[in-house]
C-alpha cells in the first residue's frame, strides 16, 4: 500500500482541511487527490501536510508511523520544501529554487536568452512528463484573460517546438531529474525563446490540463511517482 504525503505551502488542520491557501493550491490538491483515487483507490492513503510540518522530518515520521507494507511517497505541490527532507527529488527542488543559477547555466551552456530579475518573466509553460523511458512533451500552456487562469493548448509551430524541446531536455539532463511532471516557464521575444525558470512539480498552470489533456498532468505526476507507464499525451477534441 502507498502512503502519499501531499506537501503544500499553507496551513493544514489535523483533519487535513487546508486553510490560508490560495484557490490555485486548493484546486491543485483536489486534482491530485482525484488522480490518485481514480488510479488506485484501494491501495493508497493520502495525507495533506503543510511544508512547515516537515521541518523536522524525524519528528513527523514518529507522529505518522508507516505500516509494515506501506511505501511512503512525497508529492510536493510547492517549491518551498524543507531542505532537510529526504526524498528522491530533493536535489532537483533545491536547484530549481536557485533561479538565478539556472538562468546563468541556460545562458552560458545552451546560449538561450533568459529572464533578468523581474524583466521578461515567463507567461508560457511547456509541460514535460519525464518517464523512466524518457520525456513526453505536452502542449504549451498560456496565461488566460484573467489572473490565475490558464489555457491549453497554445498554438506552436514545429520550428518553435524543437529548440524548446532541446532546452527542456538539456536542462533536465543536467539536473539528473527523476521521473515527474515539470513545467518549463518561458516567454517569446519575437521568435526567440526566453527562459525563465523550471518548476519540478505540476504548478498552478497544470490546472489547464484537467479537461484538455489525457492523462492530465496530475494523473501523470502520480503515474511517475509509482512507476506506471505513460505512453502518450493526447489533447482531447473540443465538444
Amino acid at each position: 500500500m502507498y502512503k502519499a504525503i501531499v506537501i503544500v505551502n499553507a496551513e493544514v488542520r489535523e483533519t487535513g482541511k487546508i486553510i490560508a491557501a490560495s484557490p490555485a493550491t486548493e484546486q491543485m490538491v483536489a486534482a491530485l487527490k482525484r488522480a490518485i483515487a481514480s488510479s488506485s483507490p484501494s491501495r493508497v492513503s493520502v495525507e495533506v501536510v503543510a511544508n512547515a510540518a516537515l521541518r523536522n522530518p524525524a519528528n513527523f515520521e514518529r507522529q505518522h508511523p508507516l505500516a509494515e507494507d506501506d511505501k511512503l511517497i512525497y508529492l510536493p505541490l510547492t517549491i518551498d520544501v524543507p531542505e532537510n527532507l529526504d526524498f528522491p527529488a530533493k536535489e532537483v527542488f533545491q536547484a530549481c529554487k536557485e533561479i538565478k543559477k539556472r538562468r546563468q547555466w541556460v545562458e552560458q551552456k545552451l546560449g538561450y536568452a533568459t529572464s533578468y530579475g523581474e524583466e521578461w518573466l515567463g507567461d508560457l509553460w511547456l509541460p514535460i512528463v519525464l518517464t523512466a523511458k524518457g520525456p513526453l512533451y505536452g502542449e504549451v500552456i498560456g496565461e488566460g484573460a484573467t489572473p490565475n487562469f490558464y489555457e491549453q493548448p497554445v498554438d506552436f509551430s514545429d520550428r518553435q517546438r524543437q529548440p524548446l524541446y532541446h532546452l527542456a531536455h538539456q536542462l533536465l539532463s543536467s539536473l539528473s531529474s527523476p521521473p515527474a511532471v515539470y513545467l518549463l516557464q518561458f516567454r517569446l521575444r519575437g521568435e526567440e525563446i526566453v527562459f525563465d525558470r523550471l518548476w519540478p512539480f505540476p504548478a498552478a498552470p497544470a490546472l489547464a490540463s484537467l479537461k484538455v489533456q489525457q492523462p492530465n498532468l496530475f494523473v501523470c505526476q502520480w503515474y511517475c511517482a509509482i512507476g506506471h507507464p505513460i505512453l502518450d499525451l493526447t489533447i482531447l477534441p473540443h465538444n
Side-chain angles (χ1 to χ4, degrees), residues 127 129 136-139 213-215 217 220 230-235:
V129 178
L136 297 172
Y137 300 106
E139 294 290 334
Q213 179 185 286
Q214 182 67 34
L217 293 173
C220 289
I230 305 170
L231 301 180
D232 198 9
L233 304 177
T234 304
I235 294 295

Side-chain angles (χ1 to χ4, degrees), residues 100-117:
K100 187 176 180 180
K101 286 186 178 180
R102 298 285 72 73
R103 290 174 179 172
Q104 288 176 340
W105 187 90
V106 166
E107 192 168 5
Q108 294 170 5
K109 299 293 185 180
L110 303 180
Y112 288 79
T114 62
S115 303
Y116 181 78

Side-chain angles (χ1 to χ4, degrees), residues 158 168 238:
D158 286 341
H238 292 293

